[in-house]
Amino acid sequence: MILVTQSIAVIEAGQGTNGAYVACPSYSSYNYCWFRDGTFIAVAMDRWQKHESARRFYDWATALVVARADGIERCLENVAQGRPLNPADLLHTRYTLDGRQGDEDWPNFQLDGFGTLLWGLQHHMQLTDPPTMPSVWARAANLLVRYLAALWQRPNSDCWEEFSDQIAVSTLAALYAGLHAISAAFEANGQDATLALDTARQIKAFLLGSGVRDGHLIKQIEGEDVVDASLLWASVPFQEHSFLQPSDPVMQATVARIEQDLVGKTGGVHRYAKDTFYGGGEWVLLTALLGEYYTATGNLTGGQRCLAFVEASANEQGHLPEQVSRAPLHPEYVEHWLGCWGPVACPLLWSHAAYLSLSAQVRESGL
Ligand code: BGC
């Protein structure tokens, strides 16, 4: 329980009065709020009854989307007219803590976080049961559904902010989950859910056709026969909104490949085999995610093992890093990254959130 309390404290300290969560307070490139990280953090806070913190994040994120409605409409108009997209109209994946687009060069076109956000909004409403969806949330959700319906087939950077010329299978898994979840929220709110549901169905059919090789999911649509640990998003943490159930044979085969190729020497999970960021260490949040998968399938020993790995990764202050570099895949790159950006980001709020989510799930499973 000590690390649970500490994780909540780290997250609360990293949330601004406007609701934004900083990705990592002590790592300058991460002095931003990402839709991806932010939503996973809000979901974890909701799982530990910190609903007010989560609501403030969602208020921040939805207001930011609504404030960019003109750009979204221009983008949709370009798609409808078959014209090229103007990068200035695209929604960025991360914002400064006061809600501005960053000036640094960054791969800003990433779609997964918007799917994750839609899922998070529905998750929060399901837990807190407001009489109706707040109007700004409904407006933002509508804009995002139309934006994603228009753009999901375009290459965009993956959740690791790489491979901008590809479509990552995990990105589409997040989009499916978000569109599926928000369609349930729209229906409960008396709104038309057709576009969200139809797009989710198209994504699922496309994934099962172009995202599977030899019975398992692959990292990129029609890409090489390799896996990425973010493929776990196909079944966790999106629960009933996942496009594959944990027991689905395709999911089981995918996890078997992840175990074979990406579970590291010290029991943590690497992102993908060719990862060179800080040498490609074992990621705390991915290990927690694998723990969620194990717990969801009744493998309680596996869940406990992952939980123990995460707990052992905390430093003396009870801070969790982004990755653990004890046994990197490509040690020759460690020095390079230390020279570029300094030590690995710590505390990473998303790592703490992943720990909170896994511990909540383990607790709920009665372990
Ligand atoms: C990761 C992203 C993450 C960001 C902030 C990047 O290095 O690849 O997934 O959103 O850090 O935590």
Side-chain angles (χ1 to χ4, degrees):
M1 274 311 272
I2 296 171
L3 195 55
V4 167
T5 312
Q6 175 63 6
S7 293
I8 291 171
V10 165
I11 291 172
E12 284 174 339
Q15 184 168 31
T17 46
N18 61 2
Y21 295 115
V22 69
C24 173
S26 55
Y27 190 80
S28 64
S29 310
Y30 289 4
N31 203 15
Y32 289 85
C33 183
W34 270 258
F35 281 100
R36 171 190 309 118
D37 301 40
T39 304
F40 284 125
I41 296 163
V43 165
M45 292 300 264
D46 263 337
R47 291 188 83 165
W48 284 90
Q49 286 74 49
K50 299 287 175 190
H51 302 309
E52 179 62 13
S53 168
R55 186 193 54 75
R56 286 171 47 227
F57 166 73
Y58 292 128
D59 283 347
W60 178 83
T62 51
L64 201 144
V65 171
V66 168
R68 283 161 178 76
D70 290 350
I72 295 175
E73 296 295 354
R74 281 193 300 274
C75 179
L76 294 175
E77 185 58 23
N78 282 337
V79 173
Q81 301 298 327
R83 293 191 297 251
L85 300 179
N86 179 355
D89 295 334
L90 296 171
L91 275 176
H92 281 206
T93 188
R94 58 167 209 174
Y95 292 84
T96 62
L97 300 178
D98 55 6
R100 286 175 297 107
Q101 294 181 172
D103 304 324
E104 284 173 89
D105 188 25
W106 202 261
N108 290 307
F109 185 44
Q110 307 173 21
L111 293 177
D112 64 284
F114 307 118
T116 308
L117 174 64
L118 290 174
W119 165 70
L121 291 172
Q122 191 266 346
H123 179 261
H124 180 81
M125 287 186 288
Q126 200 177 21
L127 290 178
T128 57
D129 201 19
T132 53
M133 196 186 300
S135 62
V136 176
W137 294 26
R139 176 105 204 277
N142 268 304
L143 285 165
L144 288 177
V145 167
R146 291 169 57 224
Y147 185 72
L148 295 176
L151 297 181
W152 69 269
Q153 284 155 304
R154 307 215 175 202
N156 65 97
S157 297
D158 62 20
C159 66
W160 311 130
E161 318 199 285
E162 297 174 331
F163 303 105
S164 59
D165 58 342
Q166 302 289 323
I167 302 178
V169 167
S170 58
T171 294
L172 293 185
L175 300 194
Y176 174 85
L179 291 163
H180 190 268
I182 209 67
S183 70
F186 281 172
E187 276 165 9
N189 207 38
Q191 286 170 251
D192 184 4
T194 317
L195 183 63
L197 214 47
D198 283 354
T199 311
R201 288 195 186 116
Q202 285 169 34
I203 292 175
K204 181 170 180 173
F206 181 70
L207 277 168
L208 293 174
S210 305
V212 178
R213 179 87 48 83
D214 291 338
H216 64 83
L217 297 170
I218 47 176
K219 179 173 167 69
Q220 288 151 345
I221 293 294
E222 282 161 10
E224 291 171 35
D225 184 2
V226 292
V227 289
D228 184 299
S230 65
L231 289 170
L232 290 164
W233 283 359
S235 77
V236 280
F238 302 118
Q239 299 164 344
E240 72 269 28
H241 302 293
S242 306
F243 90 94
L244 292 179
Q245 292 311 302
S247 58
D248 189 292
V250 173
M251 198 60 221
Q252 288 185 352
T254 306
V255 173
R257 268 297 290 271
I258 290 173
E259 288 170 332
Q260 182 189 306
D261 296 356
L262 300 177
V263 173
K265 291 202 178 82
T266 73
V269 179
H270 298 284
R271 297 194 298 182
Y272 58 98
K274 288 187 180 163
D275 185 13
T276 57
F277 186 49
Y278 287 94
E282 292 154 274
W283 279 53
V284 169
L285 63 98
L286 289 173
T287 312
L289 198 59
L290 183 60
E292 277 201 46
Y293 177 82
Y294 286 146
T295 312
T297 51
N299 176 355
L300 306 183
T301 317
Q304 283 289 18
R305 208 173 49 236
C306 292
L307 197 67
F309 176 92
V310 175
E311 285 170 349
S313 306
N315 67 14
E316 317 77 66
Q317 289 104 51
H319 289 173
L320 291 170
E322 180 179 59
Q323 60 173 290
V324 174
S325 311
R326 284 189 295 265
L329 294 169
H330 306 283
E332 65 281 14
Y333 284 91
V334 174
E335 281 306 315
H336 165 78
W337 282 104
L338 287 172
C340 290
W341 284 1
V344 166
C346 184
L348 188 84
L349 270 65
W350 184 8
S351 294
H352 283 278
Y355 173 69
L356 286 175
S357 282
L358 174 59
S359 0
Q361 196 199 13
V362 166
R363 190 185 56 164
E364 285 152 21
S365 76
L367 258 180

